[in-house]
Amino acid sequence: MTHPRSSLPRANSKALAALALMAAAGLLAASPAASATLERTGPAAASAEPLAAPDIPIGNVKSHLAQLQSIANANGGNRAHGRTGYRASLDYVKAKLDAAGFTTTVQQFTSSGSTGYNLVADWPGGDANQVLMAGAHLDSVSAGAGINDNGSGSAAVLETALAVSRAEFQPTKHLRFAWWGAEELGMVGSKYYVNGLSATDRAKISGYVNLDMVGSPNPGYFVYDDDPALEKVFKDWYAGIGVPTEPETEGDGRSDHASFKNAGIPVGGLFTGASRTKTAAQATKWGGTSGQAFDRCYHSSCDTSVNIDDTALDRNSDALAHAIWTLGTAEPTPPGQSYENTTDVAIPDNAAAVTSAIAVSGRTGNAPATLRAAVDIKHTWRGDLVVDLLAPDGTAYRLKNSSGSDSADNVIATYTVDASSETANGTWRLRVQDVAAQDTGYIDSWKLTF
Ligand code: TRP
Ligand code: ZN
Ligand code: CA
């Protein structure tokens, strides 16, 4: 992500206007503090970094967790889908957002015979064609209060949204925050939301950031290694405080970001670990206890308000705010030129690879470091498929490996490829091979964006 250099975030122009008024009223002259402020927000700021994200007050995040714990206590000990504690949790979050000036929507669905709810909060303003989303699942399992899983992510997203309001942040992108129902039943709420969007509205979502379990008591610092730009913004923030991170691997696709990723939306997120054991090497770099789970209370009754590491929760809340401020004010990426092949190509079962070609001409120089390959393959068991992008000279870039356990349908995803060593002009090919018997499918379409 490059920082915007030419355009001031609008909050800055607003601050300038206020300062101009103060100057006109003679309020600035006597105050050195005010003139220092004027210097920072003056014309020189146009070439400076965008407004820094605020520090998220950990006390506020923890007070949301205390409220969620009280809600569980008053509702049979949990905040699970279909139970009264879930709706009470949603009402708590919604009231805070309504008071802060968000436009909130409660989306209702049915799962396992019970009514479930998503809460969606839009921050007015920003480019409606570029929506930046952050979300967390708000339901617990029925075994307990679910304070780390996922009160932690819910509270961090809530407090970041409230910080947006306090700062009167005016990002270039439109911001949308969401709290999902019934994640613990298989990401039901987030799937319902994504499936309910028109293709046009889906395409407007430029990224989705997921926070699920971000205050584990024996924490690790994991960053989803999915969309490179979303991954980078978090890794940069952690590098800035000198805390090492690792790519998130504990069950890829086990939270609501999977619903977005499956629809081809770029995703990222943060995670501090569930039932896996912290290794000695991890304890050396992060502290905590090796040989013990990141969260020994994962999905159990002891996931209460004491099941939280405050430092981890604080860092991840601040990291989220940094991501929202950085990505929210980023210059829109220039539209680029797309080349598409929409002719179906059958993929024979457990057989040789097939290809689909796209001829690119009239370009100069090499392909970009962020060549985007949007793939739409219909298949009844996508784990069977190995997918490569072939450059004009035949160099193969692996987009996706086969996996015996990935039984989901279809490969509908946008991959970013560093193709900067390839000439742009020439015939690019999508190569798809089905490497396991039984399930079949076809290349429906694919598209390259330079
Ligand atoms: N809510 C998730 C679950 O119950 C927690 C989880 C486990 C998770 N592994 C993860 C969240 C990896 C994000 C990434 O399964
Ligand atoms: Zn869970
Ligand atoms: Ca097959």
Side-chain angles (χ1 to χ4, degrees):
M1 279 283 123
T2 53
H3 293 302
R5 300 212 159 259
S6 52
S7 84
L8 272 174
R10 272 172 286 160
N12 247 359
S13 349
K14 195 170 177 187
L16 275 177
L19 284 165
L21 279 177
M22 290 164 77
L27 292 173
L28 289 178
S31 159
S35 60
T37 307
L38 182 62
E39 239 165 69
R40 278 203 296 117
T41 54
S47 61
E49 297 289 294
L51 286 183
D55 184 86
I56 299 299
I58 181 65
N60 293 5
V61 182
K62 292 221 57 177
S63 104
H64 302 316
L65 290 185
Q67 292 301 318
L68 294 176
Q69 179 69 60
S70 305
I71 287 168
N73 295 348
N75 290 278
N78 69 68
R79 304 181 302 100
H81 168 72
R83 310 293 185 89
T84 51
Y86 180 74
R87 182 67 211 217
S89 300
L90 184 138
D91 290 341
Y92 169 76
V93 175
K94 182 177 183 297
K96 296 276 177 197
L97 294 161
D98 286 337
F102 282 85
T103 305
T104 58
T105 310
V106 177
Q107 185 182 42
Q108 202 169 310
F109 58 88
T110 303
S111 180
S112 305
S114 302
T115 303
Y117 308 92
N118 294 325
L119 173 64
V120 178
D122 283 276
W123 181 238
D127 181 354
N129 289 316
Q130 293 195 91
V131 180
L132 175 62
M133 286 191 74
H137 76 85
L138 184 57
D139 63 315
S140 70
V141 291
S142 53
I147 298 303
N148 186 36
D149 180 15
N150 185 30
S152 63
S154 296
V157 175
L158 172 59
E159 194 54 31
T160 300
L162 298 178
V164 163
S165 166
R166 282 191 297 267
E168 299 184 51
F169 185 34
Q170 296 192 279
T172 48
K173 292 202 178 109
H174 178 76
L175 301 182
R176 183 177 297 154
F177 299 91
W179 290 262
W180 310 117
E183 185 273 350
E184 300 290 5
L185 280 71
M187 301 165 270
V188 177
S190 56
K191 275 184 198 162
Y192 184 84
Y193 173 80
V194 173
N195 290 340
L197 295 172
S198 66
T200 316
D201 284 343
R202 232 174 272 166
K204 290 177 181 170
I205 302 175
S206 58
Y208 171 74
V209 169
N210 194 59
L211 267 70
D212 186 359
M213 305 185 72
V214 293
S216 303
N218 184 27
Y221 292 93
F222 299 101
V223 176
Y224 297 5
D225 62 340
D226 225 294
D227 179 72
L230 297 181
E231 183 179 11
K232 182 176 178 344
V233 75
F234 288 124
K235 285 172 75 170
D236 285 353
W237 188 84
Y238 269 103
I241 62 162
V243 172
T245 61
E246 287 185 14
E248 190 286 305
T249 55
E250 189 171 355
D252 208 13
R254 272 177 67 187
S255 190
D256 297 297
H257 58 292
S259 306
F260 288 80
K261 184 178 162 70
N262 290 341
I265 297 165
V267 301
L270 297 168
F271 179 56
T272 51
S275 50
R276 274 205 194 158
T277 302
K278 184 180 269 188
T279 65
Q282 289 171 329
T284 302
K285 65 174 150 183
W286 291 326
T289 313
S290 70
Q292 206 174 81
F294 295 106
D295 182 358
R296 287 193 289 177
C297 291
Y298 175 58
H299 283 188
S300 66
S301 61
C302 59
D303 186 6
T304 64
S305 40
V306 297
N307 189 45
I308 288 287
D309 181 89
D310 289 3
T311 302
L313 183 64
D314 188 21
R315 287 175 177 166
N316 284 324
S317 303
D318 290 342
L320 174 63
H322 169 74
I324 295 298
W325 257 257
T326 307
L327 301 167
T329 53
E331 291 284 358
T333 39
Q337 188 160 349
S338 292
Y339 305 81
E340 191 169 19
N341 185 333
T342 58
T343 305
D344 292 0
V345 177
I347 305 164
D349 191 22
N350 196 18
V354 294
T355 61
S356 170
I358 289 177
V360 174
S361 62
R363 310 288 302 215
T364 48
N366 281 7
T370 55
L371 176 65
R372 312 254 286 166
V375 173
D376 185 349
I377 299 170
K378 302 298 193 302
H379 197 277
T380 51
W381 189 295
R382 69 174 175 207
D384 288 2
L385 299 178
V386 180
V387 183
D388 291 293
L389 174 69
L390 305 183
D393 70 356
T395 308
Y397 293 86
R398 177 61 43 94
L399 303 182
K400 178 197 167 301
N401 282 308
S402 61
S403 151
S405 60
D406 187 0
S407 63
D409 288 349
N410 307 337
V411 181
I412 303 173
T414 299
Y415 301 93
T416 304
V417 176
D418 181 353
S420 54
S421 64
E422 308 292 341
T423 59
N425 283 338
T427 300
W428 295 76
R429 289 187 169 80
L430 185 72
R431 181 173 69 190
V432 183
Q433 184 170 17
D434 181 320
V435 297
Q438 218 160 317
D439 288 84
T440 59
Y442 62 98
I443 303 173
D444 195 339
S445 67
W446 70 291
K447 183 165 77 175
L448 280 177
T449 304
F450 286 79

